[in-house]
Amino acid sequence: MDIIANYGTVLVLLAAFVGFLMAWGIGANDVANAMGTSVGTRSLTVKQAIIIAMVFEFAGAYLAGGEVTSTIRKGIIDSSAFVGHADVLVLGMIASLLAAGIWLIVASHYGWPVSTTHSIIGAIIGFATVALGSDAVQWGKTLGIVGSWIITPAISGLIAYFIFVSVQRFIFDTEDPLKNAKRFVPVYMFLTAFVISLVTLKKGLSHIGLHLSNGEDWLYSFLASLVVMIGGYLFIGRKQYNPSDDKDMGFANVEKVFAILMVLTACAMAFAHGSNDVANAIGPLSAVVSVVEAGGVIASKSSIAWWILPLGGFGIVLGLAVMGKKVMATVGTGITHLTPSRGFAAQFATATTVVLASGTGLPISTTQTLVGAIMGVGLARGIAALNLSVIRNIVVSWVVTLPAGALLSIIIFWILEALILS
């Protein structure tokens, strides 16, 4: 307990610094891949994507990121094992944040879209195993995570495949694709808005004191989506379309209609991601702050200090702006050639899968879900449309993420232990 009494402020400052680093890594990697489809399809420029991410990630993190966060990330470790070892928990959380942050920044440098969720979970498992033995880890949860590597990309890939096929059937393979695009794209807008509203209401807003029943969630989502659909009809109807554009590229005007939809899905993905993953990253930071503030007492829940959410939001935005371009390029153009209609199918499938998974409590990765969806869209055009060498690199980086997080965390934890506890 002495280190908490003697070095409390230093530990909080150190945790804040590594928490900021982790948020930077999330911006450079996770947010970049969420925005990659919109940039890859040229629906948004990199600058516009960064501005949208700034506004909506920050809004998602701050409005829906949570008053209360579980101090121990997703129940991966048994907090009761740390009673009487608060100093170990504090150092372990700092080591985990630094390890996950370093891995995300390395992955972003090479343009690999990896999972922030799995980086931090791997890191926490690593330090807990070394500090207190394997009994401190709830291994059943870990198996669920490994299973989600296969399940979630498969589900999102399947949804993306069928959405893309429906777009082909109802719009592209018809006598008048532009007329049908104007008719059906607002319906897709309705579906997108519905899924995103449902994610936000179910996952986010309970934190700011809005506790809605299941029926109310569905009703408000339906009404919000209806407004978006009507707005979509009016906006698409008023937009000018130049028939000569179609001579250069067969469906240029139809893709223009889908580009409007892509901007909507980009805003929505950023908000949903902000509300969900940002809170995940700052969980270990708020654990450190609460243990230090309580003088070494470990609470099962901790309220988040006022400065933590803005710190996370700010770190994410900077990480995206400075380092996000490489991951955006991998997701947006590396896996398969994306147009706005294909990008929409991928983003819609991702959002839907996240909703389904959050309902079942599966610890899923937004990154893997999106990459699976993009593969699904590519497969709808035949296996030749996929860049298999890029996919191989991505899958290898996924498998390496948990052990890499664990190994880095163990090394950093040992160094911290030697420096501070000895």
Side-chain angles (χ1 to χ4, degrees):
M1 295 286 175
D2 292 339
I3 70 147
I4 289 171
N6 298 337
Y7 300 107
T9 313
V10 176
L11 290 171
V12 168
L13 287 172
L14 185 59
F17 172 73
V18 293
F20 181 80
L21 192 75
M22 171 74 183
W24 177 291
I26 289 178
N29 203 293
D30 242 23
V31 181
N33 74 58
M35 289 287 147
T37 40
S38 303
V39 174
T41 59
R42 306 225 170 111
S43 303
L44 292 171
T45 62
V46 172
K47 206 173 188 178
Q48 288 167 333
I50 289 169
I51 291 165
I52 283 180
M54 277 182 182
V55 175
F56 286 92
E57 286 278 340
F58 205 84
Y62 203 66
L63 293 174
E67 277 298 302
V68 175
T69 181
S70 290
T71 49
I72 313 297
R73 181 82 187 81
K74 284 215 200 297
I76 295 300
I77 53 177
D78 182 6
S79 56
S80 62
F82 286 90
V83 174
H85 301 284
D87 49 353
V88 173
L89 177 68
V90 167
L91 291 183
M93 287 299 175
I94 291 172
S96 299
L97 281 170
L98 183 54
I102 289 171
W103 172 245
L104 288 174
I105 289 168
V106 168
S108 305
H109 176 72
Y110 288 105
W112 303 329
V114 298
S115 163
T116 49
T117 313
H118 296 169
S119 308
I120 193 75
I121 287 174
I124 290 175
I125 289 172
F127 102 80
T129 309
V130 169
L132 295 177
S134 60
D135 291 348
V137 179
Q138 299 187 354
W139 293 106
K141 289 272 175 79
T142 316
L143 288 173
I145 295 162
V146 175
S148 76
W149 289 351
I150 301 155
I151 297 163
T152 45
I155 294 170
S156 63
L158 209 61
I159 295 171
Y161 178 90
F162 285 114
I163 288 283
F164 185 62
V165 167
S166 80
V167 168
Q168 293 281 73
R169 179 165 298 174
F170 292 129
I171 296 171
F172 288 103
D173 297 342
T174 57
E175 297 262 315
D176 191 343
L178 183 58
K179 184 182 165 191
N180 284 321
K182 288 179 182 176
R183 182 187 298 164
F184 286 110
V185 164
V187 177
Y188 288 124
M189 282 184 170
F190 174 87
L191 287 172
T192 309
F194 187 74
V195 166
I196 299 296
S197 307
L198 214 52
V199 172
T200 308
L201 291 173
K202 279 192 177 300
K203 292 194 85 165
L205 298 177
S206 59
H207 299 307
I208 53 169
L210 258 183
H211 296 285
L212 302 173
S213 69
N214 216 7
E216 285 172 325
D217 283 343
W218 286 83
L219 176 67
Y220 292 138
S221 300
F222 180 80
L223 293 173
S225 311
L226 214 54
V227 171
V228 169
M229 182 168 87
I230 294 163
Y233 269 119
L234 296 172
F235 188 79
I236 289 167
R238 286 172 59 190
K239 198 169 162 66
Q240 299 295 313
Y241 301 96
N242 186 356
S244 65
D245 289 350
D246 286 342
K247 287 177 187 146
D248 302 330
M249 186 195 128
F251 297 108
N253 282 316
V254 177
E255 294 294 359
K256 266 187 201 164
V257 179
F258 273 100
I260 300 165
L261 183 55
M262 283 294 288
V263 176
L264 177 75
T265 51
C267 297
M269 288 257 302
F271 186 86
H273 180 270
S275 67
N276 185 30
D277 289 42
V278 179
N280 292 348
I282 58 178
L285 171 55
S286 70
V288 172
V289 174
S290 75
V291 170
V292 171
E293 281 177 351
V297 178
I298 299 169
S300 60
K301 293 269 183 183
S302 64
S303 57
I304 298 179
W306 65 270
W307 53 270
I308 292 180
L309 278 167
L311 179 87
F314 192 57
I316 279 175
V317 166
L318 271 179
L320 174 69
V322 176
M323 282 187 75
K325 289 192 178 89
K326 282 187 180 171
V327 175
M328 277 192 200
T330 303
V331 172
T333 53
I335 299 170
T336 188
H337 176 64
L338 287 175
T339 59
S341 54
R342 294 172 199 156
F344 155 68
Q347 280 197 336
F348 177 78
T350 305
T352 311
T353 310
V354 170
V355 176
L356 291 172
S358 66
T360 59
L362 256 178
I364 74 154
S365 153
T366 330
T367 310
Q368 294 177 354
T369 314
L370 180 64
V371 170
I374 295 170
M375 287 184 202
V377 172
L379 275 175
R381 298 164 52 231
I383 193 89
L386 292 173
N387 186 336
L388 295 176
S389 66
V390 171
I391 291 169
R392 188 191 62 234
N393 290 347
I394 291 172
V395 172
V396 168
S397 70
W398 286 355
V399 175
V400 171
T401 294
L402 260 178
L407 193 66
L408 280 169
S409 173
I410 290 166
I411 294 166
I412 295 163
F413 178 70
W414 277 339
I415 293 169
L416 287 174
E417 206 174 29
L419 288 174
I420 296 173
L421 291 183
S422 57

